[in-house]
Every structure is written in structure tokens, then in C-alpha cells.
Amino acid sequence: VFSIALTKDSKLIVTAGSTELKIWDVATAKLIESLHAKGAPFYSVAISSTGQTIVAGAHGSKNLIVFDRSVGWQPRYLKGHEDRIYAVAFTPDDRHVLSASGDNTVKMWNIASGEIEASFDGHEADVMCLAVSEDGGICVSGSHDSTIRVWDLQKKTHCFTLCAHQDEVRCVAISPDGLNIVSGSSDYTIRLWHRRTGQLKGEIDPDQAEICSL
């Protein structure tokens, strides 16, 4: 399993694996559905708050793969990236999806129309991870170029770049109150940043190992 996602009500989990995506009932731990699409293995997955739509990125595909329950989970393939997709996330209103790719970009998709509404450029290497704030105001992305970039989703602009890691940034998260950004890197550190100013607030060195998940 390369990635997991949970619905807002915690009733469903979707897992991304080497050959398929699986939807599970949390209460019973029973498998509900297995989903297949071109390009497996699946590196990333996200599920809408209602559990009606699932998006994924796959190792062997440049497309954003969309599954809708209303059409029997048949996949749609949205074209726009020039390399594989490493991370995906829904905005809180479920209207948009953010995707991070090996083409050095983050893209913002209208999930209903399948159109790209914004392409965030600036990273100088593969974009490995991203997170969206709970208020839907910003997206944070981490890259092989060792930087973190903060994007304004309303204005569709770059806010600022966070520079302190000495190696690729593997994972990022935003605190529920929206005040802090957390990043994990192959430089063996976890760093804490102020969301609005970009100021580095602290550093944790938990072990001599790459930080791959937060």
C-alpha cells in the first residue's frame, strides 16, 4: 500500500496499492469495492468528503485518474501533466483537486468539468507532496529541489518559498487551525513553519532516517 485516504466522517478508507484501489468500510473492516485503471501501481489517492469521488495518481500514467460512484466507479483520465503524479488532495468543498507531479508543477483541477483552472510553476524538480488548508485558502507543496512553496488558491498565485531543508522534501502537512506548516525531508528532519510569515519556528531530528510521512 502506497497511500491511504479517509472520508471526513471516518466511515470509508481507500487504499492505493500495486494493482488496484480498494474501498473499505471502517466499522466492519470489510472490502466494499476494488477499482482498476491503467497505469498501476497507484502512488497517491484522495477521497471526497462524501465518499462519492476518488482521485488517484499512478506510476505508469501522466493522467489524473477520477472515479465517480454515480457512474459505477468507471475511471476518467484527465490530461494535463507531463509526468507522473505523486500526490493528490481535494479542496474542502470537494469542487477542486490539487495534483503534484514529476513535471515540477502543481495543478488545480475543476473536478466536475475536468479542466485545469491553475498551474502553479516554480519548483525546479519533481513535486513529491502537497497539502491543502482546511479553509481552502492555501496549498503547500514540497519538492526534490528541497524547497516548500505556498500557493494562494483564491488568487492562484505564489505566496512565498520556505528554504531550510538540505535534501528533498518528502511530506508536508498544515495544522487544523491553519497556523502552522510541517515538513519532513530526506535530510532526517521535521521542520515547523509559520503559515502566514513563512518563519521557521522549530526543528525536530527524530532519528537518522528519511521522513516520508507525517
Side-chain angles (χ1 to χ4, degrees), residues 37-201:
K38 300 175 183 177
F42 300 98
Y43 276 169
S44 57
V45 67
I47 188 168
S48 63
S49 60
T50 61
Q52 299 299 302
T53 304
I54 292 169
V55 295
H59 176 80
S61 176
K62 302 175 185 178
N63 301 324
L64 179 68
I65 307 169
V66 182
F67 303 86
D68 290 300
R69 185 178 181 180
S70 62
V71 293
W73 300 115
Q74 292 300 309
R76 283 189 288 150
Y77 300 91
L78 306 187
K79 298 181 179 180
H81 280 296
E82 297 179 2
D83 206 329
R84 69 188 58 158
I85 294 171
Y86 288 105
V88 290
F90 276 93
T91 54
D93 62 6
D94 290 339
R95 294 176 59 191
H96 296 90
V97 168
L98 281 296
S99 57
S101 170
D103 65 8
N104 305 357
T105 72
V106 173
K107 296 191 186 299
M108 182 175 180
W109 306 78
N110 182 307
I111 200 64
S113 69
E115 298 296 320
I116 296 172
E117 292 195 358
S119 183
F120 299 106
D121 305 315
H123 281 296
E124 297 179 358
D126 295 18
V127 187
M128 302 299 296
C129 53
L130 59 77
V132 177
S133 62
E134 290 198 2
D135 63 5
I138 65 166
C139 172
V140 177
S141 58
S143 170
H144 264 289
D145 64 13
S146 78
T147 70
I148 301 149
R149 287 180 175 258
V150 181
W151 313 94
D152 186 312
L153 297 184
Q154 307 305 315
K155 298 179 181 178
K156 298 180 175 60
T157 57
H158 174 242
C159 300
F160 46 79
T161 302
L162 309 178
C163 302
H165 284 295
Q166 303 302 308
D167 207 333
E168 63 192 49
V169 178
R170 301 292 298 274
C171 47
V172 290
I174 303 170
S175 62
D177 61 12
L179 298 179
N180 299 292
I181 295 167
V182 185
S183 57
S185 169
S186 294
D187 66 6
Y188 308 156
T189 67
I190 297 171
R191 297 178 190 267
L192 179 66
W193 313 80
H194 193 286
R195 167 186 167 174
R196 300 194 185 281
T197 66
Q199 179 182 0
L200 180 62
K201 299 175 67 174

